[in-house]
């Protein structure tokens, strides 16, 4: 079953109003194993991670498998099917972090299908945390990854040619509200605005170990060489196995400025629930520049050590997906503006 089909079926079987009700019911429940992920596309990602979590596998293997799954999708803003930068080149960012604070990341990686697996190799086989650009690609090739074609996916080609006509660099990311036709609307709109679809996921396994991973092609039509929050530990992803973990999607620069996911985890350490911790991080972004925040979207999702989860975004429209023994659902995130 392809992703679109799976999502369509998901849309039929899990209407959002039903989701809201059970969200309240499950919110404080201790649940493990559990996996949560950004966006509605997280449903199929969670399903892949669940195959490992439900058979007593590790959270690290689960988050890698989930990320690999979406990197395989051709018509998705993640992986090689994602949108290119303003020079027409797809550059990928990814990171992974385990329950012992081991972590690895790649940024600006070209023509390699599974950046998350390269990130894991950086973590396991090098003394470093981040490899970028040509060096990351060289490392990938030395470790058995294959150089893929540089051709854009059909959706990306279409979006890029539209964007070239305007040739403006306005990274508008607060457009989920355009998704009037349900949560599975396209990532590109004919007026040239582009959605963001970074996949961030966090899993807690049966041994209560938490890991996380993020994978993305980053902000569409970015400057060549731009790196967002997604591969930055403490910005796009942070795991502290004593407390919990968080991941983000949205305008990466705003997340980096506040060390967003590290901040969320520190708020949870202070005793805030995952939802409140995410809210406080969003407030921090808004407080810095309210006018700017009105034009942007950032969403955080978080999970604590009890398996409680929550999310918060600047704007309406951010979604996240949850899979545990109790549920398999998409949730609308709360939002501030
Ligand atoms: N956070 C990503 C970035 O700034 C964008 C996204 O979420 O789509 O690269």
């Amino acid at each position: 079953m392809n992703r679109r089909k799976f999502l369509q079926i998901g849309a039929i079987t899990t209407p959002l109003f039903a989701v809201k009700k059970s969200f309240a019911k499950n919110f404080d429940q201790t649940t493990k194993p559990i996996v949560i992920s950004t966006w509605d596309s997280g449903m199929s990602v969670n399903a892949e991670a669940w195959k490992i979590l439900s058979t007593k596998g590790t959270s690290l293997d689960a988050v890698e498998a989930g990320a690999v799954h979406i990197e395989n999708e051709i018509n998705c803003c993640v992986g090689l099917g994602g949108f290119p930068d303003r020079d027409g080149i797809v550059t990928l960012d990814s990171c992974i972090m385990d329950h012992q604070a081991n972590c690895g990341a790649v940024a600006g990686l070209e023509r390699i299908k599974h950046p998350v697996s390269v990130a894991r190799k950086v973590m396991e086989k090098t003394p470093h945390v981040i490899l970028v650009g040509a060096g990351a690609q060289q490392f990938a090739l030395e470790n058995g990854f294959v150089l893929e074609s540089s051709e854009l996916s059909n959706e990306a080609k279409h979006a890029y040619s539209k964007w070239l006509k305007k040739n403006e660099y306005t990274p508008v990311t607060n457009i989920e509200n355009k998704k009037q036709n349900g949560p599975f609307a396209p990532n590109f709109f004919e007026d040239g605005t582009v959605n963001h679809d970074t996949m961030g996921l966090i899993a807690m396994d049966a041994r209560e170990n938490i890991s996380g991973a993020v994978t993305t092609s980053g902000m569409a039509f970015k400057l060549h060489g731009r790196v967002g929050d997604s591969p930055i530990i403490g910005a796009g992803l942070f795991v502290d196995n004593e407390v919990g973990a968080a991941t983000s999607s949205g305008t990466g620069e705003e997340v980096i400025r506040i060390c967003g996911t590290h901040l969320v985890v520190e708020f949870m350490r202070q005793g805030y629930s995952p939802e409140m911790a995410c809210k406080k991080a969003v407030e921090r972004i808004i407080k810095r520049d309210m006018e700017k925040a009105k034009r942007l979207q950032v969403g955080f999702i978080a999970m604590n050590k009890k398996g409680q989860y929550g999310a918060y975004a600047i704007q309406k429209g951010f979604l996240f997906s949850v899979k545990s023994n109790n549920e398999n659902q998409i949730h609308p995130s709360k939002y501030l503006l």
Side-chain angles (χ1 to χ4, degrees):
M1 188 185 297
N2 68 33
R3 172 172 170 258
R4 284 189 199 288
K5 264 230 169 93
F6 176 77
L7 292 176
Q8 276 158 10
I9 291 169
I12 294 162
T13 54
T14 55
L16 287 179
F17 63 84
V19 162
K20 263 194 167 166
K21 212 172 145 207
S22 56
F23 182 51
K25 194 179 70 194
N26 286 328
F27 189 75
D28 285 324
Q29 219 165 315
T30 302
T31 323
K32 66 168 187 200
I34 178 169
V35 54
I36 66 173
S37 54
T38 53
W39 302 109
D40 42 4
S41 49
M43 287 294 281
S44 62
V45 166
N46 288 352
E48 212 54 39
W50 190 254
K51 288 180 191 165
I52 292 171
L53 293 172
S54 59
T55 49
K56 301 227 169 2
T58 68
S59 55
L60 184 65
D61 287 340
V63 294
E64 184 187 7
V68 161
H69 171 75
I70 198 146
E71 286 168 351
N72 279 328
E73 293 295 330
I74 273 303
N75 288 315
C76 178
C77 279
V78 166
L80 290 175
F83 291 156
D85 60 24
R86 57 162 73 183
D87 294 346
I89 303 165
V90 175
T91 63
L92 304 176
D93 296 341
S94 178
C95 72
I96 194 161
M97 188 166 190
D98 76 6
H99 65 288
Q100 293 174 314
N102 297 308
C103 47
V106 288
L109 180 62
E110 294 175 29
R111 297 179 60 184
I112 299 291
K113 199 170 184 182
H114 292 303
V116 72
S117 300
V118 184
R120 183 165 177 178
K121 284 262 188 299
V122 172
M123 171 176 108
E124 289 176 343
K125 293 185 73 169
T126 81
H128 308 305
V129 170
I130 308 182
L131 294 181
V132 304
Q137 190 190 69
Q138 183 188 333
F139 173 79
L141 297 177
E142 284 166 7
N143 281 278
F145 294 85
V146 176
L147 201 59
E148 306 285 340
S149 155
S150 57
E151 209 189 324
L152 300 182
S153 67
N154 287 340
E155 198 183 4
K157 255 186 223 159
H158 175 65
Y160 185 54
S161 64
K162 281 263 174 194
W163 178 81
L164 277 177
K165 282 188 195 129
K166 273 175 97 187
N167 208 5
E168 279 170 8
Y169 185 58
T170 44
V172 179
T173 55
N174 61 336
I175 59 158
E176 288 91 359
N177 296 345
K178 290 190 179 193
K179 289 188 164 187
Q180 297 301 333
N181 301 325
F184 310 117
N187 291 313
F188 176 73
F189 296 87
E190 294 304 318
D191 65 4
T193 48
V194 178
N195 198 9
H196 41 87
D197 241 6
T198 291
M199 177 46 57
L201 68 158
I202 298 164
M204 178 159 64
D205 60 31
R207 291 172 210 87
E208 294 185 5
N209 287 328
I210 303 175
S211 301
V214 183
T215 186
T216 188
S217 51
M219 201 94 84
F221 317 134
K222 60 197 175 185
L223 276 173
H224 187 64
R226 177 264 189 189
V227 175
D229 58 327
S230 305
I232 310 289
I233 300 298
L237 174 70
F238 195 68
V239 178
D240 182 324
N241 206 46
E242 281 183 5
V243 177
T247 185
S248 60
S249 185
T251 304
E253 283 75 4
E254 300 311 306
V255 179
I256 292 172
R257 260 186 257 287
I258 63 158
C259 292
T261 54
H262 183 260
L263 187 62
V264 171
V265 171
E266 288 307 302
F267 281 136
M268 290 196 290
R269 192 191 307 280
Q270 289 171 21
Y272 289 100
S273 69
E275 184 179 290
M276 274 308 290
C278 292
K279 185 180 183 194
K280 286 180 75 66
V282 171
E283 280 170 352
R284 187 76 65 92
I285 293 172
I286 292 173
K287 195 173 157 204
R288 198 187 74 82
D289 190 339
M290 167 68 105
E291 284 315 303
K292 192 173 184 189
K294 280 182 189 164
R295 301 190 302 273
L296 299 175
Q297 174 66 304
V298 169
F300 293 105
I301 64 172
M303 180 199 294
N304 67 15
K305 206 52 193 172
K306 293 181 192 157
Q308 297 168 329
Y309 58 80
Y312 234 91
I314 298 178
Q315 319 261 356
K316 185 178 178 188
F318 181 48
L319 302 169
F320 65 105
S321 303
V322 179
K323 171 75 185 137
S324 69
N325 284 315
N326 299 329
E327 62 171 323
N328 183 26
Q329 289 169 352
I330 301 163
H331 295 285
S333 164
K334 290 187 182 166
Y335 54 95
L336 267 175
L337 296 183

